[in-house]
């Protein structure tokens, strides 16, 4: 179950809030709304391939926070110039890692693809420690 927490979009009036995404699908919808609003306001077409990349990054960061970080404690999405910035916070101080594709016995591992996907699709990825514990991962995905 999710703790109550609110997010703000840079395209909404001050004080307008939405509940923090608890599932990857909710994170994807928040990114879709922010990008669609940016395209509407700027009268520019949305690059569907770039949007797909941003949706995948949001989904992977949210999934990793749920599976490995003790749950999503904060989520923010906004437009950062020519890109979309997605920040996901969780309870864990552990840094993300890339795991080998095979285990010590040479068998293929399941999972372990999320972090490499985020690093490949985002132009800027930062991991920050949070003062009360846990971490925030921020990724900026180009929109063109």
């Amino acid at each position: 179950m999710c703790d109550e927490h609110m997010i703000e979009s840079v395209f909404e009036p001050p004080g307008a809030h939405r509940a923090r995404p608890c599932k990857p699908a909710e994170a994807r919808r928040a990114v879709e709304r922010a990008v669609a609003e940016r395209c509407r306001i700027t009268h520019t077409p949305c690059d569907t391939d770039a949007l797909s990349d941003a949706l995948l990054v949001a989904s992977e960061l949210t999934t990793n926070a749920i599976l490995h970080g003790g749950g999503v404690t904060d989520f923010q999405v906004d437009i950062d110039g020519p890109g979309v910035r997605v920040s996901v916070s969780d309870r864990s101080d552990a840094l993300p890692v890339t795991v080998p594709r095979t285990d010590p016995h040479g068998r293929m591992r399941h999972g372990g693809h999320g972090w490499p996907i985020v690093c490949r699709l985002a132009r800027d990825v930062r991991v920050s420690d949070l003062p009360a514990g846990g971490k925030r991962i921020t990724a900026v995905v180009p929109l063109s």
Side-chain angles (χ1 to χ4, degrees):
M1 180 177 243
C2 296
D3 304 327
E4 273 305 309
H5 192 77
M6 307 305 275
I7 60 170
E8 266 188 75
S9 169
V10 294
F11 292 112
E12 293 177 349
H17 296 283
R18 283 193 278 249
R20 169 185 44 82
C22 300
K23 300 176 185 171
E26 294 167 353
R28 289 190 301 270
R29 282 192 293 274
V31 170
E32 275 183 315
R33 283 191 303 267
V35 172
E37 187 65 10
R38 177 232 190 205
C39 293
R40 186 186 67 76
I41 287 173
T42 61
H43 304 290
T44 57
C46 291
D47 180 328
T48 56
D49 290 335
L51 176 58
S52 293
D53 290 349
L55 296 175
L56 183 54
V57 167
S59 185
E60 291 296 340
L61 289 177
T62 305
T63 299
N64 286 349
I66 293 166
L67 293 178
H68 309 293
V72 177
T73 59
D74 191 24
F75 178 91
Q76 297 175 3
V77 58
D78 57 37
I79 304 302
D80 179 26
V84 60
R85 179 180 26 230
V86 178
S87 295
V88 179
S89 301
D90 63 38
R91 292 177 175 83
S92 175
D93 295 326
L95 297 175
V97 295
T98 301
V99 296
R101 296 180 68 175
T102 58
D103 69 13
H105 303 287
R107 296 177 297 218
M108 293 297 290
R109 294 181 193 263
H110 294 281
H113 306 288
W115 185 241
I117 288 170
V118 169
C119 293
R120 190 172 327 121
L121 296 178
R123 74 164 188 255
D124 185 19
V125 179
R126 296 173 190 243
V127 181
S128 308
D129 292 326
L130 298 174
K135 67 182 168 299
R136 173 181 298 120
I137 300 178
T138 302
V140 179
V141 182
L143 287 175
S144 55

